[in-house]
Amino acid sequence: MMQETPPKVPLRDIFRVFFTIGASSFGGGVTGWMHRITVGERGWLTNEKFLAGLALGQVLPGANVTNMAVYVGQVLRGTLGAGVALLAVLMGPFFLVIAVATLYDTAIKIPGFHSAMDGIAAAAVGMVLRMGTMGALHGCRKAAPGVIAFGVFVAIGILQWPLAPVALVAGPISVALAWPRGPGRGGLDA
Amino acid sequence: MKDEAIWGLFVAFSTAALFSIGGGSALMPEFHRQLVEVNGYMTSAEFAKSVALAQIAPGPNMLIVSLMGWQVAGLPGLLVSTFAIVVPPSLIAYFTWRTMERLKDAAWLSAVKIGLAPLVVGLMLASGTITARAANHDAIGYVLTLGTAMIMHFSKRNPLWMIATGAVVGLLAHRLGFMSVV
């Protein structure tokens, strides 16, 4: 499994690199950064190896960042590496979240803070909404994915059905529609 | 009540984690359903505040559950929630990679990826609507939400600008009496 891996990467280095990635990750794009550091700067694994992991990491449940930390850590140093990378990538954000939560309880007493948070909440929702419309514009131009996306939106967003049954029904249907049909043909024909 | 809530958080988040394709944002409707509607651990307004806080804080947006756990049950809630959202999917990822390393180039993988994309899109849109209803109580809120979405769509500006603008608009609107305080 590790035949192409050059000399052992010290666990300390894995920790340091993933801690930095985690602590400075902001919003999205973290996987891109992880790629630049682990593949480009450090040369820990080849481009192909990283992308192969990413392909699976995006499909599996869990955040891409944590999945990729587990993957890269495992490629480098097996189980121990996976554990160290996962712990490191979460440590920074975890303490920042505690700091934010603690400060929030204090800050809520400052006059005006509450109203500012109301405004921030409204703007934050806009950012979530925009991610959805961007995805819809890029990925759901064809009929079948468009119908699936709309169906999931109505079931979860309007009817407020639970996630698990909706995902268990819509997921397999959508994957079946995307299944490559016959040799040399792939993707969606609908 | 406290112990019950901690167990409830664990069940809610670890279940959601198993379906967490597309990251934390896609899970917002499920979090809202579990925490606000089913269990009544927090109000819709408190939920909206956690979402806002998570947007300001760095890190994978999955850690929004740490904030929610904190709001519901303090430090134990935070620890349990973080564990529930991080560990089960990481274990799945770990064992999948160990056992299926050779399958990584298989055609089914790209079919699964293409197939899951519309699901994620639908979930994101649902997240937007659910959190919009939780966060906004009047027209100003909705104007701010839609305005942010539009500006984010047409400009490449750092999202922090929108957060800052939201804060200023919120302050002004309250001061001038346009926006109701919850």
Side-chain angles (χ1 to χ4, degrees):
Chain A
M1 188 179 110
M2 291 175 60
Q3 72 274 35
E4 10 173 297
T5 322
K8 268 191 176 181
V9 175
L11 288 173
R12 201 177 343 111
D13 286 9
I14 297 181
F15 186 88
R16 199 180 302 145
V17 162
F18 278 94
F19 179 81
T20 318
I21 292 174
S24 32
S25 63
F26 218 104
V30 193
T31 345
W33 205 42
M34 197 184 281
H35 177 265
R36 210 173 65 197
I37 293 182
T38 56
V39 176
E41 275 175 30
R42 298 270 171 160
W44 279 350
L45 63 176
T46 62
N47 193 36
E48 291 70 39
K49 193 131 186 151
F50 186 91
L51 293 181
L54 185 61
L56 200 53
Q58 287 172 329
V59 169
L60 292 170
N64 283 347
V65 194
T66 49
N67 280 351
M68 285 312 285
V70 169
Y71 173 72
V72 176
Q74 187 189 335
V75 167
L76 297 175
R77 287 296 299 271
T79 313
L80 204 56
V84 167
L86 179 65
L87 197 71
V89 88
L90 287 172
M91 195 166 271
F94 181 73
F95 285 113
L96 279 167
V97 160
I98 294 188
V100 167
T102 323
L103 287 177
Y104 181 77
D105 289 344
T106 320
I108 197 75
K109 289 166 196 124
I110 302 169
F113 182 79
H114 195 114
S115 19
M117 274 312 288
D118 271 1
I120 292 176
V125 175
M127 288 162 40
V128 177
L129 212 53
R130 135 99 178 126
M131 278 196 281
T133 52
M134 186 176 67
L137 288 173
H138 284 281
C140 301
R141 290 235 171 106
K142 290 173 183 165
V147 170
I148 301 269
F150 186 73
V152 169
F153 164 67
V154 171
I156 306 264
I158 311 283
L159 302 174
Q160 310 202 6
W161 288 354
L163 173 65
V166 174
L168 286 176
V169 171
I173 294 177
S174 187
V175 171
L177 286 170
W179 208 263
R181 273 161 261 177
R185 283 173 68 202
L188 292 153
D189 299 321
Chain B
M1 163 63 199
K2 207 72 178 280
D3 289 347
E4 202 183 299
I6 286 174
W7 177 242
L9 286 171
F10 179 78
V11 172
F13 288 139
S14 54
T15 323
L18 299 180
F19 294 93
S20 57
I21 36 164
S25 305
L27 290 179
M28 236 61 100
E30 182 66 9
F31 294 159
H32 186 267
R33 201 184 66 83
Q34 292 266 11
L35 300 182
V36 179
E37 280 153 42
V38 178
N39 291 310
Y41 291 152
M42 48 167 67
T43 66
S44 223
E46 284 168 345
F47 180 86
K49 295 277 151 58
S50 308
V51 175
L53 276 177
Q55 293 282 359
I56 313 176
N61 49 12
M62 217 58 132
L63 286 186
I64 186 180
V65 305
S66 315
L67 281 172
M68 291 176 174
W70 174 279
Q71 288 226 324
V72 172
L75 190 62
L78 178 140
L79 293 173
V80 165
S81 304
T82 312
F83 183 88
I85 203 83
V86 168
V87 173
S90 295
L91 284 177
I92 293 177
Y94 174 76
F95 286 110
T96 312
W97 270 310
R98 281 195 64 138
T99 49
M100 306 219 290
E101 246 223 315
R102 238 166 286 136
L103 289 173
K104 64 198 174 193
D105 299 319
W108 64 266
L109 197 56
S110 85
V112 172
K113 216 162 102 185
I114 295 171
L116 290 183
L119 242 72
V120 175
V121 169
L123 286 174
M124 288 285 189
L125 291 172
S127 285
T129 5
I130 298 263
T131 38
R133 256 185 272 160
N136 302 330
H137 344 281
D138 47 28
I140 291 265
Y142 280 102
V143 168
L144 205 49
T145 297
L146 292 177
T148 307
M150 298 273 271
I151 294 172
M152 293 280 292
H153 188 87
F154 291 111
S155 114
K156 293 245 178 292
R157 219 164 255 267
N158 191 311
L160 279 182
W161 283 105
M162 298 315 304
I163 295 286
T165 312
V168 173
V169 172
L171 264 176
L172 285 177
H174 277 300
R175 195 55 54 85
L176 300 173
F178 287 145
M179 212 166 167
S180 45
V181 181
V182 199

